[in-house]
Structures are given as structure tokens and as C-alpha cells.
Amino acid sequence: MKSADDRYNPKSCRFSKEWVFLQAFLTALALNTELGVANDEIDGISNVLLARLYALFVQIEFGIRSRGFFLTVLTAVLFVGYMWISQKKRFFSTEKHAALAAFLSAMYTGGMAYWYGGSLSLLYSFQINRIRSIVLLVGMYFFYLHAIEGMHYMLHKKTENAGTVAEKKGKWVSMYQKSSFWITWGILMLAWLVHLILRYPGAMSYDNWAQLRYYYGFETYTTAQPIFHTWLFGSFIRLGVKLGSSNAGLFLFVLMQTLIMSAVLAWTLELMKRWNTVAWLRKLTFAVYCVAPYFAGYAAFPIKDYLYTAFLVLLVCLMAEWMILRGQFWQHIGKNVLWIVGTTLMILCRKNGIYLYFVVATVALVQMGLHKMKSAKDTADSRQSEADKREKSAAWKQWMRTAGRKWIVVCLPFVLVFVVEGIITQVYHVEKDSPKEMFSLPFQQTARYVKEYGDEISEEEREIIAKVLDYDSLAEIYEPMTADPVKTTYRSGSAGDLTAYFKVWLKEFFRHPLCYVEATWNQNYYVFAPYVDNVVYNKNCLVGSELEYDKEYYSWLNFQIPEKMEGVSNVTVKLYSLLTTAPVIGMFSNVAFYVILMFVLLHFIRLEKNKRAFFVMLPAVISFLFVLLAPQIQGQPRYAFPIIYTMPLMIAFYQRTGKA
């Protein structure tokens, strides 16, 4: 039923209190359901039916033992929340959200199976788990259904805009209004500077040590690491060595990347302010930037993903401004230069940046062409006087000049990347690395297939696989959470060998498609599992150095923790781990939380046909596909940083452009 203003009438779909209570109770059970199985007990019962019933009661008691009070309180809290949401005005019927809620519930339930047993079979291997699976699916369905409706209401309810009376009064508020970006940037930088000092001179990784070996010529310089980021990191360390301390070079590098990231995130808050984003979202975003370990805790980590994410967020900011300002955006030289420089650096800092930007650039250019065609159609043959013809001719020439600038701005980053990488390649004699990284997922699927159905693989297929991977070791080295052990056996086969391999890969998929699905889901279930903590924070500058002790260069190319700061970084990282696993604040350092938000936001955008918002979300959507194709997400949340760091801005942009 539609109301006069084309909004859905909530009165036609309100639930009874009894039904809402049942939903809350099932959700409470689902949120506390585990898939562990207790030892069967029959207590001397000879009757088979009664023995089974007794064993079932034992399993149920095992699952809820010592949780009665907590489940009661949780049910009451959920009931109040569900009632509050069900009484609010809805812009779409509940049925519109059912498919997404069911999908998220299935991902949650399947993830539990992989978390406990590494296979979906755990859901139906035991009688008690078949019951638990139903509870999980139904309970989490209601949870996500109400969460989706609640989020939509919160983003569209009438609230005071950014320019409230309180913000317009007072000396300090007035000063903030005039210099909001600089003040925000300064506060963010000061907050993160504390973390840099506590982890002085910075936190190293094995990848960073590989970059230094490439840069100084102790190992062949390859494209295994982004060659520009390798050069940039090595140059900072060289500067520090010349200044008398490699520590200084490392600290200067993390300080540089912190300045860039904090400036970009300050700009996201500035845009949210300009768009009159609701105050609670802006305040929450600022607090998360300052405190959440996934933001503050990675400032001292000179990994390639950090700068890549910073420049990707900058690109998303500029894409959002383009969608708001339309044609005026391309007349702003400063923003055009930022687009060129930021996008170029984004591609240079991580190899998959060029694939992401290729999609963005293609969509942008197509959008420009369609906009021009629409404008031409609207004005065609409207008037036929000579004056009108001259006016149209002048307008066409002006459009051509503007279109030329747009094409240059959008396409120039590709040229600059080619030039910069070409220079570094020539100077350092960079060699191309094998494509094993991009084939991580199919290699992982093959390894699981060999482990589970190795006896069905023909001799010919084994020989074909063996030309690309170490077939004999695949079943043994296969690890469900990471493709690294499998991809390291890649034998750099010829193009013909790879082609033959993928033909076999495709044949095996059609034989047992569920095996491939499980290999993919088992490795990536983290992205939909908010109950799993993905905690990894490199402690200090000594990480990875144990492999360098016997190298000739370690005597002068090493990093040291100042004596008075011994143990400080350990305590700091333990605090990060605590905050990541803590209630409420831990969700803001949880990969699944942001991925689920992205899916919900995409759902709203689809319902409202908000093309501008979808364009702005394009980098996050592509990044999600990269996460699925990556070697692992467990222990490597950095792969999801493009989604995590852009989410606040994307929510604000949706709120600014939403049609509901």
C-alpha cells in the first residue's frame, strides 16, 4: 500500500508484540549459538527413542548452560529495539529487505560452520547442529531485517543539520567554522602522533625488509612489491642512514604517511560538514578516526596498503565532489590537479590500483558521453534562427574544450604511472614477477579439490596441474585460511601450461562445484562474520629482522628500539588487541562490520536508483572483489582498508543524495 507522498505506510505491516517477542527470543538464541557438540549420554536408557530424546536435551543444555540470565536480558533488549524499529515510518515494505537479510543470515550461519569445523557439513552432521542451523538462519534473519530497517530510518529521519544554533554561537565555534579542515587535521595528527611516538621508530614487516633488499641491490628488484613504494620507502631509509640513523628514516616515512592519511580523513569530515551530514554521524566518525585501532593503530606501519588507501579515499572524495558539483568540478584547477596526482600515486602504491582505476575511468568517461548525448537531445532542433545556430556552435566549442580537459584529467594518471615506473625499471633493472598472486584463488580451489577428490583426478590432469603447481604437496600444504602455501609452489609455467591448467580447473569445477565454493567461502568467511576478531598489529621495528641477522648489511641497515622504550610498543599493541575485541568499539575495527554496512548501503542505493551514490561506491565494490581474490583476509585486514576507510564518507554521501 502506498501513501499519498509515495512512501510506504507502516500501519499495514506492524507486527504483534507476541510475534516481535518471538523474533527477539530467536535472535538472542542465534547470537549465543555455538556448534560444539557434547559427548552423547543415554544415562542407562534402553529405549532408543527416549535415549535420543535424552541426548538431544543434553546437547541443548550444553549450549545454553549458565546463559539463562544473559539470554533473558538480551531478549528483553532486542524486544525493545525491535518494537521501536517496527513503529517507525518505513519508506519501503519489509519484503523489500527480505532477500538481503536472508543472504546475510546465510553468510553468518555458513561462517559459523567454517569457524568451528572448516566445512559446511558441520551444519548437518549432527542432529543438534541441524536444529542450531535453523535457529541461526531464522534468528539472524530477523536481526538483519530489523537492523536494515533501523539503519534506513536513522539515515533518513529529520534531524538538525550541521549548522545548528549551538554551532553558530561562541568564539571557539566561530573559529572552528572558519578553519574546520585545519583544526580537524591538527587534532587527528596530534592524536595519531602519540601512537607514532609509542611505537618509535615504526613497525616493520617482512614485506618491508624485502623492499629494502630490492632497493639496496641485495636481492633482484622485482615487481613482487610495488616498485614505486619500494623506491619511496628505500629512499627514506637511505636519507635516515645519511643522517646517521636508519631509525630516523623509518620514523620520517611513517610521519609522512600519517600526515597524508590524516589530511585525507580530515577532508572527508570537511565534506560531511558541507553536506550537512547529521551531527551524530560526523561526531562518531571523528571519534572512530581518533581511537579505533584500524585507523590509529596502523599509522606507524609503513605497509604499501596504507598510502594506497589514503590516495584511494582521496579519489572517492573527488568522485563525490564531482557528483555534487557536476560540471563546475572540472572548472576547478586545484581539484583537477588533486585527481591527477592522487590517482597516480594510488596506482603507484599498489599494483591492483590500476585495475580499480581502469573501471572507474571507463565508467566516468561513459558517463560524460551519455550526459553530452542527453544534453544534445534536449536542445536539438529547438530553434532554427541564425543567432541560435551561432549560440549552439559556441556552446559546442566550449563543450569540446571542457571535454578535452576531462579526458586529460581522467586519462593522464595512466601515462604518468607508465613514465614513473618506466624510469624506476630502467634505473634499478626491475624484473617482472610471476603472476602467482593474481591466481591465488583458483590455486587454492585446486588444492582443496586435490585434498578432497584426489582419487578422481586422472593421470593426464595431474601432469597438467604439476606443470604449474607442486601437485604432490598440494593436499598436505593446503590451509583453508590462506593461499600462501599453495601459491608459493607456482612453477612459472608457460602461457600454454597456464591455459591447459585453467581448462582442467574448469572441468573440475563442473564435477564438484561445491568444493570450489567451499574453498572460496572457507578462506573468506571472515568478511561476513562479525563474531570473529581479525587482530594483527606488528609490534615494532624488529618484526622480520630475525631473517636478516646473518646478512652483511644488517650491521648498518637495522632498526633499534630505544632502551628507555623497551616494552612500550608491546603494551601499545596489546591495547590495540584489547580495543579490537572489546564490545562496541571493537566493531569499528571489524572487517565484517564494514562489509555488511557496504552491502546494506548498496541495497538502499538499488532501491532508490541512486546512480550517483553507486558511482561513488564503485572503488569499495571493486575492492571487495579484490578481497575475495586475495591470498587471505584472516590476519590481513589491510586488504579491506579501502572499504573500511571510505565507509563513513559513502554513508554521508548517500544521505546527501538519497531519494527516499
Side-chain angles (χ1 to χ4, degrees):
M1 176 179 177
K2 297 279 184 173
S3 59
D5 63 352
D6 201 36
R7 292 180 177 178
Y8 185 77
N9 185 353
K11 293 182 179 180
S12 64
C13 65
R14 286 183 177 176
F15 302 123
S16 67
K17 290 183 179 180
E18 294 78 9
W19 178 229
V20 174
F21 180 83
L22 179 60
Q23 294 176 10
F25 176 67
L26 288 172
T27 301
L29 284 179
L31 290 172
N32 285 272
T33 294
E34 298 178 354
L35 298 181
V37 180
N39 294 325
D40 286 336
E41 298 180 25
I42 58 174
D43 199 27
I45 302 174
S46 57
N47 184 290
V48 176
L49 180 61
L50 291 178
R52 288 183 177 179
L53 188 61
Y54 183 87
L56 177 62
F57 289 164
V58 168
Q59 297 293 344
I60 294 174
E61 182 188 19
F62 173 75
I64 63 174
R65 184 181 299 159
S66 303
R67 298 181 185 178
F69 177 71
F70 176 73
L71 285 171
T72 302
V73 174
L74 182 59
T75 299
V77 171
L78 288 169
F79 173 69
V80 172
Y82 286 1
M83 285 299 299
W84 179 81
I85 293 171
S86 65
Q87 292 169 1
K88 297 302 177 182
K89 179 175 287 187
R90 287 188 285 279
F91 299 91
F92 300 103
S93 66
T94 302
E95 290 75 14
K96 295 284 187 180
H97 308 309
L100 177 60
F103 169 76
L104 293 175
S105 175
M107 293 296 103
Y108 185 100
T109 304
M112 290 285 286
Y114 290 117
W115 191 29
Y116 275 89
S119 175
L120 288 177
S121 62
L122 185 62
L123 296 175
Y124 51 82
S125 297
F126 302 94
Q127 180 184 11
I128 184 61
N129 279 355
R130 288 193 284 272
I131 298 173
R132 289 168 175 168
S133 299
I134 296 172
V135 172
L136 281 168
L137 286 169
V138 176
M140 294 312 300
Y141 168 80
F142 289 128
F143 174 80
Y144 283 121
L145 191 65
H146 286 289
I148 292 168
E149 290 187 337
M151 181 176 173
H152 197 263
Y153 169 75
M154 289 295 292
L155 293 179
H156 286 282
K157 72 173 184 175
K158 293 182 179 179
T159 55
E160 290 184 338
N161 288 334
T164 60
V165 175
E167 289 180 332
K168 292 178 180 178
K169 291 183 178 180
K171 177 182 177 182
W172 295 107
V173 171
S174 177
M175 183 177 70
Y176 171 77
Q177 291 293 334
K178 292 178 181 178
S179 308
S180 55
F181 167 75
W182 299 103
I183 293 174
T184 303
W185 185 17
I187 295 174
L188 264 180
M189 192 61 212
L190 285 174
W192 289 2
L193 187 60
V194 174
H195 296 267
L196 298 188
I197 294 173
L198 291 175
R199 300 173 75 187
Y200 179 87
M204 287 286 285
S205 70
Y206 295 98
D207 283 354
N208 292 127
W209 279 106
Q211 288 178 310
L212 292 180
R213 292 195 297 271
Y214 293 169
Y215 180 81
Y216 280 102
F218 298 115
E219 198 172 299
T220 303
Y221 201 141
T222 73
T223 58
Q225 301 293 332
I227 62 175
F228 173 79
H229 190 274
T230 297
W231 170 83
L232 184 64
F233 182 62
S235 298
F236 268 82
I237 302 304
R238 181 184 289 274
L239 174 62
V241 171
K242 288 184 176 180
L243 294 174
S245 169
S246 54
N247 275 13
L250 178 57
F251 184 76
L252 287 174
F253 186 88
V254 296
L255 181 63
M256 175 273 297
Q257 69 174 20
T258 302
L259 283 167
I260 293 174
M261 180 64 86
S262 59
V264 172
L265 295 185
W267 187 248
T268 65
L269 289 164
E270 179 68 16
L271 291 177
M272 293 167 73
K273 175 175 172 289
R274 293 182 186 179
W275 297 339
N276 288 331
T277 302
V278 287
W280 68 264
L281 181 57
R282 290 163 46 213
K283 293 174 182 177
L284 177 62
T285 300
F286 182 66
V288 169
Y289 286 170
C290 289
V291 178
Y294 271 14
F295 291 87
Y298 274 83
F301 194 13
I303 198 69
K304 57 198 171 191
D305 303 82
Y306 197 78
L307 279 176
Y308 166 75
T309 300
F311 294 120
L312 184 144
V313 177
L314 176 60
L315 174 63
V316 173
C317 288
L318 294 168
M319 291 167 65
E321 288 210 82
W322 174 24
M323 292 296 98
I324 296 292
L325 300 175
R326 299 292 190 177
Q328 296 178 18
F329 176 82
W330 302 105
Q331 298 172 12
H332 196 293
I333 296 177
K335 288 182 172 58
N336 293 177
V337 171
L338 267 180
W339 181 296
I340 294 169
V341 175
T343 303
T344 301
L345 290 170
M346 179 193 75
I347 298 172
L348 288 170
C349 285
R350 189 165 174 82
K351 292 181 289 185
N352 55 5
I354 195 165
Y355 305 113
L356 182 147
Y357 185 63
F358 177 79
V359 176
V360 171
T362 301
V363 173
L365 294 174
V366 169
Q367 191 175 41
M368 292 175 192
L370 291 176
H371 180 71
K372 175 55 186 174
M373 290 173 62
K374 184 178 182 299
S375 300
K377 182 178 179 181
D378 293 341
T379 58
D381 301 324
S382 57
R383 289 175 293 181
Q384 299 297 326
S385 66
E386 288 297 323
D388 290 332
K389 290 180 180 180
R390 287 195 297 270
E391 183 178 338
K392 289 179 183 179
S393 177
W396 174 257
K397 291 179 180 178
Q398 176 62 29
W399 182 85
M400 287 295 291
R401 287 193 293 269
T402 305
R405 173 184 288 182
K406 293 177 183 178
W407 275 80
I408 290 173
V409 171
V410 172
C411 296
L412 189 56
F414 292 113
V415 178
L416 294 176
V417 168
F418 178 79
V419 172
V420 172
E421 290 193 339
I423 293 172
I424 296 175
T425 299
Q426 290 297 318
V427 172
Y428 291 89
H429 308 291
V430 179
E431 296 183 6
K432 190 174 180 61
D433 190 41
S434 69
K436 62 184 179 184
E437 192 80 18
M438 70 173 67
F439 297 144
S440 295
L441 182 58
F443 289 169
Q444 184 78 334
Q445 292 166 336
T446 294
R448 187 166 183 131
Y449 190 96
V450 171
K451 184 179 180 67
E452 295 186 354
Y453 302 101
D455 56 341
E456 298 182 16
I457 301 175
S458 67
E459 187 63 34
E460 180 185 1
E461 290 174 340
R462 292 184 185 187
E463 292 177 359
I464 291 173
I465 295 173
K467 290 181 179 179
V468 178
L469 300 169
D470 183 4
Y471 181 90
D472 294 333
S473 67
L474 291 182
E476 182 180 350
I477 66 174
Y478 169 72
E479 293 183 19
M481 305 300 183
T482 173
D484 281 343
V486 174
K487 75 175 185 180
T488 54
T489 71
Y490 178 72
R491 294 177 171 175
S492 300
S494 65
D497 292 337
L498 277 174
T499 301
Y501 162 77
F502 278 109
K503 287 181 180 179
V504 171
W505 173 84
L506 192 60
K507 286 181 183 178
E508 293 175 345
F509 167 73
F510 285 112
R511 287 180 200 156
H512 297 285
L514 184 59
C515 179
Y516 281 29
V517 172
E518 288 218 75
T520 306
W521 199 349
N522 203 161
Q523 181 179 304
N524 294 293
Y525 76 86
Y526 287 80
V527 299
F528 289 107
Y531 44 82
V532 178
D533 299 314
N534 204 338
V535 182
V536 56
Y537 303 99
N538 288 19
K539 290 182 180 179
N540 50 45
C541 60
L542 302 181
V543 175
S545 62
E546 68 274 9
L547 301 180
E548 314 298 325
Y549 289 151
D550 59 342
K551 306 295 191 303
E552 59 180 270
Y553 54 81
Y554 189 75
S555 60
W556 56 270
L557 185 61
N558 60 35
F559 306 97
Q560 298 293 331
I561 301 173
E563 185 177 346
K564 293 183 179 180
M565 297 187 67
E566 287 285 349
V568 174
S569 60
N570 299 56
V571 174
T572 303
V573 169
K574 181 52 66 177
L575 175 61
Y576 296 159
S577 298
L578 173 62
L579 293 176
T580 303
T581 57
V584 184
I585 192 173
M587 281 296 99
F588 296 105
S589 292
N590 185 288
V591 172
F593 175 73
Y594 292 94
V595 171
I596 292 169
L597 279 180
M598 183 186 74
F599 270 75
V600 172
L601 207 57
L602 285 169
H603 171 65
F604 295 158
I605 289 169
R606 180 186 62 83
L607 290 177
E608 299 175 18
K609 298 179 174 61
N610 189 339
K611 296 179 181 178
R612 288 191 292 171
F614 180 77
F615 176 68
V616 172
M617 287 196 69
L618 199 54
V621 174
I622 299 169
S623 297
F624 176 74
L625 298 178
F626 289 159
V627 168
L628 299 183
L629 296 172
Q632 69 182 88
I633 185 63
Q634 183 266 341
Q636 299 292 347
R638 57 193 175 92
Y639 290 131
F641 278 2
I643 301 172
I644 294 170
Y645 279 65
T646 57
M647 186 53 60
L649 183 74
M650 291 189 294
I651 293 175
F653 184 82
Y654 162 74
Q655 191 180 56
R656 169 68 173 77
T657 59
K659 300 176 182 178

